[in-house]
């Protein structure tokens, strides 16, 4: 009996480490591609050899977006995603035995700020600006040209809750005096969110939304990221973009209330933007993580029968904080 092989690219983060453990536990032989090896991104021949004959390819590569979007970071965020996808695309296109399934990370941030309705795969409105342009160029490279032997799924992940940087920084806000809802407002415009890539979109300078803490927060527990990946492997009829997000997104005010409960804080001051900007500067992340209304629901996953282990936010946070 031949050994099933899976190639995982960009497996150094908390999602990748969990995937390695999962697939090894299910009898897969794992090959890793990453900046530090064992197969490095600058060795195209080794990547081609690894991908040829593999049953499955999962690409999670990309610079962590939990940073400030200065010019260097902006270029690294875009290029780390597009270039690695180009390299894997070339490996599949030249393979004599290409993988049957290629799962490539993407982001639910591709959708527009939305307060009036949720974004699904079939009716979602694509947004503008830096984060959206990163996602558009990433997916454009992923889906370009025909790869007749390989099914492709773009994993449009919402913010993943688990033992990762996003969750720890959110819990950090709840433990501080700014654990109330985040309220957008005027702040001097900057150019960190301007578009990027060959066809940049959006305004050059940042603006704000009058959401009053009612902006939506879409999220997914790490357990359901893994569960959704197994579901996609088993459902060969699914291809194209797939939203990886809980079916029950919450408002920002609900998010912060649940974070306070888990952190053991009974009170949290509302964080107006003039308060939030310095706090997020200290945490070295961008305020758009909390101020943009990310309203995404998993139409494809639910329509194909996937049952979420953690559909509700408070139990999911409590599990992570144990």
């Amino acid at each position: 009996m031949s050994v099933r092989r899976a190639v995982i690219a960009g497996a150094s983060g908390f999602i990748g480490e969990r995937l390695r453990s999962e697939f090894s536990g299910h009898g897969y032989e794992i090959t890793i591609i990453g900046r530090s090896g064992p197969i490095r991104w600058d060795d195209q021949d080794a990547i081609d050899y690894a991908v040829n004959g593999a049953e499955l390819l999962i690409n999670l590569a990309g610079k962590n977006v939990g940073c400030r979007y200065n010019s260097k970071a902006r270029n690294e965020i875009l290029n780390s995603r597009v270039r690695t996808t180009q390299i894997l695309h070339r490996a599949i296109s030249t393979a004599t035995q290409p993988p049957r399934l290629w799962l490539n990370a993407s982001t639910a941030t591709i959708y527009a700020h939305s307060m009036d309705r949720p974004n699904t795969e079939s009716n979602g409105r694509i947004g503008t600006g830096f984060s959206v342009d990163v996602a558009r160029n990433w997916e454009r490279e992923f889906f370009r040209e025909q790869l007749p032997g390989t099914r492709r799924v773009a994993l449009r992940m919402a913010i993943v809750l688990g033992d990762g940087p996003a969750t720890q920084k959110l819990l950090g806000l709840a433990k501080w005096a700014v654990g109330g809802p985040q309220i957008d407002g005027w702040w001097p415009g900057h150019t960190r969110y301007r578009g990027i890539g060959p066809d940049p979109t959006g305004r050059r300078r940042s603006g704000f939304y009058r959401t009053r803490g009612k902006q939506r927060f879409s999220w997914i527990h790490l357990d359901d990221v893994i569960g959704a990946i197994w579901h996609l492997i088993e459902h060969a009829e699914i291809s194209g973009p797939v939203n990886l997000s809980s079916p029950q997104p919450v408002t920002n005010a609900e998010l912060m209330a649940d974070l306070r409960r888990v952190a053991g804080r009974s009170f949290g001051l509302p964080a107006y933007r003039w308060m939030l900007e310095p706090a997020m500067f200290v945490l070295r992340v961008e305020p758009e993580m909390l101020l943009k209304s990310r309203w995404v629901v998993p139409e494809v996953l639910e329509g194909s029968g996937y049952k979420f282990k953690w559909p509700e936010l408070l139990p999911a946070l409590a599990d992570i904080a144990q």
Side-chain angles (χ1 to χ4, degrees):
M1 180 179 176
S2 61
V3 176
R4 296 180 298 175
R5 287 202 304 113
V7 176
I8 304 178
S12 60
F14 78 110
I15 301 174
E17 289 178 358
R18 174 72 177 275
L19 275 176
R20 291 170 66 171
S21 175
E22 284 281 327
F23 279 90
S24 294
H26 282 77
Y28 280 82
E29 178 184 289
I30 308 298
T31 301
I32 302 297
I33 302 171
R35 286 172 296 175
S36 57
I39 299 177
R40 297 170 55 92
W41 286 110
D42 57 2
D43 192 344
Q44 182 74 63
D45 289 343
I47 292 172
D48 292 350
Y49 182 81
V51 168
N52 191 32
E55 181 176 306
L56 171 68
L57 169 62
I58 304 176
N59 179 29
L60 304 172
K63 174 181 169 58
N64 193 316
V65 296
C67 63
R68 301 291 282 186
Y69 296 166
N70 57 44
S71 293
K72 180 182 177 182
R74 282 164 46 88
N75 289 329
E76 288 179 351
I77 288 169
L78 175 64
N79 294 334
S80 64
R81 286 158 173 76
V82 173
R83 181 57 184 152
T84 53
T85 303
Q86 286 174 340
I87 291 168
L88 295 173
H89 197 289
R90 176 250 161 94
I92 292 177
S93 66
T94 59
T96 56
Q97 293 180 280
R100 289 185 291 177
L101 175 60
W102 179 10
L103 301 174
N104 210 69
S106 182
T107 173
T109 304
I110 196 169
Y111 297 114
H113 173 97
S114 180
M115 296 287 291
D116 60 334
R117 65 174 175 84
N119 289 296
T120 69
E121 297 90 341
S122 63
N123 70 5
R125 294 174 292 196
I126 304 301
T128 60
F130 170 68
S131 296
V132 172
D133 287 351
V134 169
R136 287 194 309 110
N137 284 281
W138 199 3
E139 289 193 8
R140 181 160 53 197
E141 182 60 36
F142 178 53
F143 286 119
R144 71 175 173 87
E145 300 178 352
Q146 296 294 315
L147 294 174
T150 302
R151 175 167 60 101
R152 286 175 281 184
V153 178
L155 307 174
R156 288 182 175 173
M157 282 186 270
I159 292 175
V160 179
L161 301 181
D163 188 22
T167 309
Q168 297 308 313
K169 287 172 181 177
L170 286 170
L171 285 168
L173 284 174
K175 292 174 182 177
W176 292 7
V178 287
Q182 281 81 43
I183 300 173
D184 205 352
W186 183 85
W187 185 259
H190 58 77
T191 60
R192 298 194 304 276
Y193 300 164
R194 69 190 184 279
I196 196 171
D199 53 345
T201 64
R203 298 176 293 190
R204 178 164 179 78
R205 300 190 71 82
S206 61
F208 67 94
Y209 301 100
R210 297 190 183 278
T211 52
R212 297 179 176 85
K214 297 179 181 178
Q215 65 269 29
R216 296 282 179 156
F217 178 82
S218 290
W219 59 278
I220 186 169
H221 191 292
L222 177 58
D223 286 349
D224 282 312
V225 172
I226 304 302
I229 286 174
W230 284 118
H231 182 81
L232 292 168
I233 290 170
E234 294 164 0
H235 287 258
E237 75 279 9
I238 300 175
S239 63
V242 174
N243 294 341
L244 267 59
S245 60
S246 162
Q248 297 185 35
V250 296
T251 66
N252 175 265
E254 291 168 333
L255 164 69
M256 298 311 298
D258 284 349
L259 284 166
R260 291 196 306 273
R261 291 187 186 100
V262 169
R265 298 293 187 269
S266 60
F267 176 75
L269 287 171
Y272 293 87
R273 189 164 186 178
W274 62 268
M275 302 164 62
L276 185 63
E277 286 279 355
M280 299 301 265
F281 178 81
V282 171
L283 289 171
R284 307 309 298 163
V285 291
E286 289 290 346
E288 77 163 1
M289 182 175 78
L290 294 169
L291 296 177
K292 178 178 177 178
S293 187
R294 305 164 184 263
W295 195 353
V296 181
V297 293
E299 177 184 59
V300 170
L301 286 177
E302 288 200 300
S304 58
Y306 180 71
K307 302 299 181 185
F308 281 81
K309 182 177 181 180
W310 302 103
E312 299 178 359
L313 181 61
L314 183 57
L317 289 173
D319 174 74
I320 291 162
Q322 287 182 29

